[in-house]
Amino acid sequence: MNIAVYPGSFDPITLGHLNIIRRAAAVFDKLIVCVMVNSGKRPMFNRDERVELIKRTVERFSNVEVEWSESLLVEFMRERDAKVIIKGLRAVSDFDWEFQIALVNRKLDSGIETLFMPSSERYTYLSSSVVKEMAKYGADLETFVPKEIIQDVIKKAEDEGWRA
């Protein structure tokens, strides 16, 4: 079985993330969306909430699973016999950082490859940070996040003091 892992913080999952998931799911037998820890960010949603939001969003894909991990990505992949890391790229600036991480991952495990997928041009501007900022100011989120979770993002922004 050809297994790939799409890691990220997904806080929250965006339509750009969903576009990468849809495309990667069409290429691999199984795609695992893995919620990872990003110590450099203040999360809007906790880990379990993010997993639940993603599960709701991807339930239409029979070969996509959602998990979380606090371990090194290569360790997570070894445990699941996954050989490919999926990384979405919005701009050249994304490539610089992701290329460095891909080299580190290859150094840690030469059997793991990184596949860079360019973002659909419709989503090159979109990030979870943009979504949080838009939610903070009460903007219409329809063109930013999957419809299944719009109300969750709005509610979290209101309940957690993210709203301006």
Side-chain angles (χ1 to χ4, degrees), residues 121-152:
E121 61 279 354
R122 292 173 46 190
Y123 304 118
T124 56
Y125 67 91
L126 187 55
S127 68
S128 294
S129 297
V130 166
V131 168
K132 287 185 268 198
E133 192 69 12
M134 295 300 100
K136 178 179 177 181
Y137 290 99
D140 180 2
L141 300 179
E142 193 171 302
T143 59
F144 299 107
V145 298
K147 64 184 180 308
E148 296 89 347
I149 68 164
I150 290 173
Q151 291 308 311
D152 298 275

Side-chain angles (χ1 to χ4, degrees), residues 83-159:
K83 301 295 181 203
V84 178
I85 299 168
I86 302 294
K87 295 303 294 188
L89 299 177
R90 293 170 300 197
V92 173
S93 57
D94 288 345
F95 179 78
D96 290 338
W97 172 252
E98 295 298 349
F99 184 70
Q100 290 177 39
I101 299 302
L103 292 176
V104 170
N105 286 331
R106 187 181 311 150
K107 183 78 170 166
L108 294 172
D109 189 325
S110 62
I112 292 175
E113 293 292 339
T114 300
L115 175 65
F116 296 110
M117 296 186 86
S119 173
S120 168
E121 61 279 354
R122 292 173 46 190
Y123 304 118
T124 56
Y125 67 91
L126 187 55
S127 68
S128 294
S129 297
V130 166
V131 168
K132 287 185 268 198
E133 192 69 12
M134 295 300 100
K136 178 179 177 181
Y137 290 99
D140 180 2
L141 300 179
E142 193 171 302
T143 59
F144 299 107
V145 298
K147 64 184 180 308
E148 296 89 347
I149 68 164
I150 290 173
Q151 291 308 311
D152 298 275
V153 176
I154 291 169
K155 183 168 177 17
K156 181 63 88 167
E158 290 171 350
D159 292 350

Side-chain angles (χ1 to χ4, degrees), residues 22 32 46 54-55 63 103 107 120 135:
R22 178 186 53 76
I32 302 170
N46 69 40
I54 299 166
K55 283 182 178 179
N63 64 331
L103 292 176
K107 183 78 170 166
S120 168

Side-chain angles (χ1 to χ4, degrees), residues 13-15 18-19 21-22 25 53-64 145-149:
I13 186 171
T14 70
L15 289 174
L18 187 58
N19 177 264
I21 291 167
R22 178 186 53 76
L53 293 175
I54 299 166
K55 283 182 178 179
R56 241 188 300 143
T57 301
V58 302
E59 65 184 11
R60 67 188 105 170
F61 304 106
S62 62
N63 64 331
V64 176
V145 298
K147 64 184 180 308
E148 296 89 347
I149 68 164

Side-chain angles (χ1 to χ4, degrees), residues 36-98:
M36 306 289 290
V37 173
N38 185 335
S39 59
K41 294 183 179 179
R42 177 182 163 232
M44 179 181 225
F45 293 94
N46 69 40
R47 178 196 65 215
D48 294 334
E49 289 170 329
R50 284 181 272 160
V51 167
E52 177 57 34
L53 293 175
I54 299 166
K55 283 182 178 179
R56 241 188 300 143
T57 301
V58 302
E59 65 184 11
R60 67 188 105 170
F61 304 106
S62 62
N63 64 331
V64 176
E65 297 177 4
V66 183
E67 298 186 43
W68 62 269
S69 178
E70 293 178 341
S71 66
L72 278 174
L73 179 57
V74 294
E75 292 299 324
F76 177 85
M77 294 186 66
R78 284 181 191 138
E79 292 169 4
R80 282 143 188 88
D81 200 30
K83 301 295 181 203
V84 178
I85 299 168
I86 302 294
K87 295 303 294 188
L89 299 177
R90 293 170 300 197
V92 173
S93 57
D94 288 345
F95 179 78
D96 290 338
W97 172 252
E98 295 298 349

